[in-house]
Every structure is written in structure tokens, then in C-alpha cells.
Amino acid sequence: MQFYIDTANLDQIKEMMNWGVLDGVTTNPSLVAKEGHKDFHEFVNKISELVYPRPVSCEVISLDTEGMVKEAEEIHSIRENVVVKIPCTKEGIKAVAILSQKKIPTNVTLIFSPMQALVAAKAGATYVSPFIGRIDDISSDGMKLIKEIVEIFENYAIETQIIAASIRHPMHLVEAALIGADIATAPFSVWQKVFNHPLTDVGIQRFLEDWKKLQG
Ligand code: G3P
């Protein structure tokens, strides 16, 4: 499973790149707004340069096909690793089909049902992003959605990659990996939790204490 960070914070990306385990980045308009990146094209330029050649998903805000395609062409022309994030609407799917013909990579976002994922794949999406946490938030089973999409894509050898998104805690990562999601994208706070375990800390402390005893 590939590890993506879901953030528009460049320092968090730099830190996870330093860990040597980062495969890509996803952003969305809320994350960009949270970091105050007012000039979107400047932000896309900075983030795509920082993570290159890893892919970075940047989202369009138009709601009509024509507007989405125009925005997509503009942001993808900034750097080749910019993947265009498109919401899963009828207009969005039409845009994905056009962008697929133009060889512009897309990440279809806000996916909450298996058929949304299948229709996005049929239109030629490079990635689909089912949102696990937001389904759990409404007392439903987000992970079941990942399971169903994985099974459907396997049935038809569909190449579109599945990004388990809206991840809230490390167990979401474990379950996504067990099911076989191609990618998991999670906030920095979740990735930080993954690399620590109290027994690892206690173990190191004991090893060092025993080593010191040996030295006298
Ligand atoms: O970026 C898409 C997705 O990961 C958002 O997650 O936590 O806002 O539901 P969340």
C-alpha cells in the first residue's frame, strides 16, 4: 500500500519526506484554505515542486464540465505530477472522460458508493477516492465501501487505483491495507501515531540500561 499525506501544509510534507516513506500527497479546497494559500496557482507550483516526482492531487472548484476541464489543464500544465481532483458528479465524470483522452491524470473524489467508483473508472479516472471517515461519521461502514470497490475492480482487472481517503486513525490504515487498497491518504497526525509504540520505547530504554550495566 502506498502512503500519501492528506495536507496542504508544506512543513508536514517535508517532514514525512524525511521519514523516507512518502509516496504522494492529496489536498482539497478545505485543506488549502486552512493553510491560507490565497494564490492557488502559486501553491500548486510550490507543492508540486516540493514533492516531485511524486503525484500531488489538487482539486478544481468549478461545477461545470467546461470549467473543470479548463482548470484541470491550467493546473496540470504547472507540473506533470499534478493530478487533477474532480468531484464525483455527472459534470465531473464528463470532465474525467475528456481529461482521460487528453492524458491528464485525475483523482475522482467524494466517492461514497461502489457505483460512483465504477463509473469514474469507466470514464478513465487514474484514481478514485472513497471517503471512509465521513461514512463512519454517519453511523455507516466506510471500510465496507473500500472492500466492495476492491472486489469490483479485481473482477474486471480495472487499473484505476483506489485511494482510501478520509482516514481518521491508524486502524483505518491497517484495515485498508488488509483489504488491498492501493493507496491510503491520511493527515499528518495519523501518520505520526503509526510510527510509535509504547513497548518500542520501553524496549529501547531497557536495552540501553542493560548496555550501561555491562560498561560498569
Ligand atoms: O482529502 C479528502 C479526505 O481525505 C478528507 O478527509 O477528514 O475531511 O473527511 P476528512
Side-chain angles (χ1 to χ4, degrees), residues 4-71:
Y4 283 17
I5 186 168
D6 195 30
T7 188
N9 181 302
L10 302 183
D11 290 332
Q12 292 177 350
I13 295 170
K14 279 180 205 158
E15 182 156 348
M16 199 163 159
M17 279 167 64
N18 284 337
W19 296 344
V21 295
L22 186 68
D23 296 305
V25 179
T26 53
T27 68
N28 63 40
S30 303
L31 294 171
V32 174
K34 186 177 156 200
E35 300 301 329
H37 300 295
K38 285 209 169 121
D39 185 334
F40 187 54
H41 282 201
E42 188 189 302
F43 164 72
V44 174
N45 185 32
K46 267 193 204 159
I47 195 167
S48 60
E49 184 182 34
L50 174 66
V51 305
Y52 189 85
R54 302 169 186 83
V56 53
S57 290
C58 300
E59 192 158 338
V60 298
I61 46 148
S62 296
L63 297 177
D64 62 302
T65 304
E66 201 186 325
M68 287 181 189
V69 170
K70 185 171 174 285
E71 274 187 66

Side-chain angles (χ1 to χ4, degrees), residues 6 28 31 85 131 134 165-166 168 185:
D6 195 30
N28 63 40
L31 294 171
K85 216 170 173 188
F131 277 26
R134 292 193 194 184
S166 182
R168 300 281 158 77
T185 190

Side-chain angles (χ1 to χ4, degrees), residues 86-161:
I86 307 261
C88 192
T89 58
K90 208 183 287 173
E91 291 293 299
I93 295 301
K94 277 156 63 182
V96 170
I98 294 167
L99 294 168
S100 163
Q101 292 296 317
K102 293 175 183 271
K103 307 269 179 245
I104 294 179
T106 52
N107 173 358
V108 179
T109 188
L110 289 164
I111 286 197
F112 295 97
S113 82
M115 277 313 295
Q116 285 182 309
L118 188 54
V119 81
K122 194 171 271 274
T126 317
Y127 308 91
V128 287
S129 289
F131 277 26
I132 303 167
R134 292 193 194 184
I135 295 179
D136 289 356
D137 286 347
I138 57 160
S139 306
S140 203
D141 186 355
M143 211 46 77
K144 182 167 164 267
L145 173 62
I146 304 287
K147 236 179 254 165
E148 289 173 344
I149 299 172
V150 167
E151 191 176 331
I152 292 167
F153 282 16
E154 277 175 6
N155 284 347
Y156 299 103
I158 289 170
E159 286 179 8
T160 301
Q161 295 191 62

Side-chain angles (χ1 to χ4, degrees), residues 72-87:
E73 287 178 324
E74 281 169 10
I75 59 173
H76 181 69
S77 73
I78 292 174
R79 203 158 276 105
E80 62 184 351
N81 59 330
V82 175
V83 174
V84 183
K85 216 170 173 188
I86 307 261

Side-chain angles (χ1 to χ4, degrees), residues 142-209:
M143 211 46 77
K144 182 167 164 267
L145 173 62
I146 304 287
K147 236 179 254 165
E148 289 173 344
I149 299 172
V150 167
E151 191 176 331
I152 292 167
F153 282 16
E154 277 175 6
N155 284 347
Y156 299 103
I158 289 170
E159 286 179 8
T160 301
Q161 295 191 62
I162 301 163
I163 305 181
S166 182
I167 280 182
R168 300 281 158 77
H169 48 73
M171 279 314 291
H172 272 156
L173 295 170
V174 174
E175 289 170 50
L178 284 169
I179 292 166
D182 300 288
I183 298 155
T185 190
F188 185 65
S189 57
V190 173
W191 287 120
Q192 267 184 317
K193 288 176 190 159
V194 165
F195 299 102
N196 299 322
H197 195 286
L199 289 179
T200 307
D201 299 341
V202 169
I204 291 171
Q205 203 184 336
R206 280 191 203 150
F207 286 154
L208 290 180
E209 279 166 9

